[in-house]
Amino acid sequence: MARLAEIVFDSLQPARRARFWAQALEGYRVRAYDVAEIHRLAALGHTPETDPTVAVDEPGPTLFFQLTDRRKTTRNRLHLDLRAEHRREEVDRLCALGASVRDVHETYSVLLDPEGNEFCVQDA
């Protein structure tokens, strides 16, 4: 039986979006660049900031952000739901990182990440 390994997101700015999600999710971090990877990127004309594929690791599935030139035009077909003990405080923290609030409901809030993709913050 298959196991979930990665969740892949198309992104206009993979490095920026990866940093947002690494800060948004407890225990996650942008995958470190070693010297060999920096040289590989440079040979392709990229830096870690312009890397077309950026990974965010631990503690669950890897989140992978890959470059696309297509802007989001409709509602996401898939979105992440986060759970927080203090939803209002968590929403404020996420907004300080670059998210924005779309709707507030009784037990959850719908936010937009820096590229306008929906995600929810639920009461714990």
Side-chain angles (χ1 to χ4, degrees):
M1 181 168 284
R3 289 188 350 221
L4 182 60
E6 297 177 342
I7 301 171
V8 181
F9 300 87
D10 287 346
S11 184
L12 296 170
Q13 297 178 313
R16 178 175 180 239
R17 195 160 171 214
R19 283 192 307 272
F20 170 82
W21 283 104
Q23 292 174 329
L25 298 171
E26 183 178 351
Y28 276 83
R29 60 178 170 36
V30 174
R31 185 176 292 168
Y33 290 88
D34 61 20
V35 172
E37 181 63 7
I38 290 172
H39 286 293
R40 186 190 75 78
L41 285 173
L44 298 171
H46 295 291
T47 68
E49 189 59 33
T50 63
D51 188 349
T53 55
V54 181
V56 175
D57 296 314
E58 304 288 335
T62 296
L63 305 179
F64 217 93
F65 300 90
Q66 66 184 12
L67 184 63
T68 185
D69 60 355
R70 292 185 178 167
R71 294 200 173 275
K72 179 181 177 314
T73 58
T74 63
R75 181 181 164 142
N76 298 359
R77 294 187 70 162
L78 172 78
H79 72 264
L80 301 179
D81 284 348
L82 311 181
R83 191 166 286 146
E85 289 293 325
H86 305 283
R87 177 170 40 121
R88 183 177 302 201
E89 292 169 13
E90 184 62 10
V91 167
D92 290 345
R93 185 183 78 82
L94 294 166
C95 287
L97 295 175
S100 59
V101 176
R102 193 188 78 185
D103 319 311
V104 177
H105 301 272
E106 186 175 337
T107 60
Y108 68 98
S109 299
V110 180
L111 281 73
L112 304 174
D113 77 4
E115 289 192 4
N117 298 284
E118 296 91 357
F119 68 98
C120 295
V121 179
Q122 304 172 342
D123 290 334

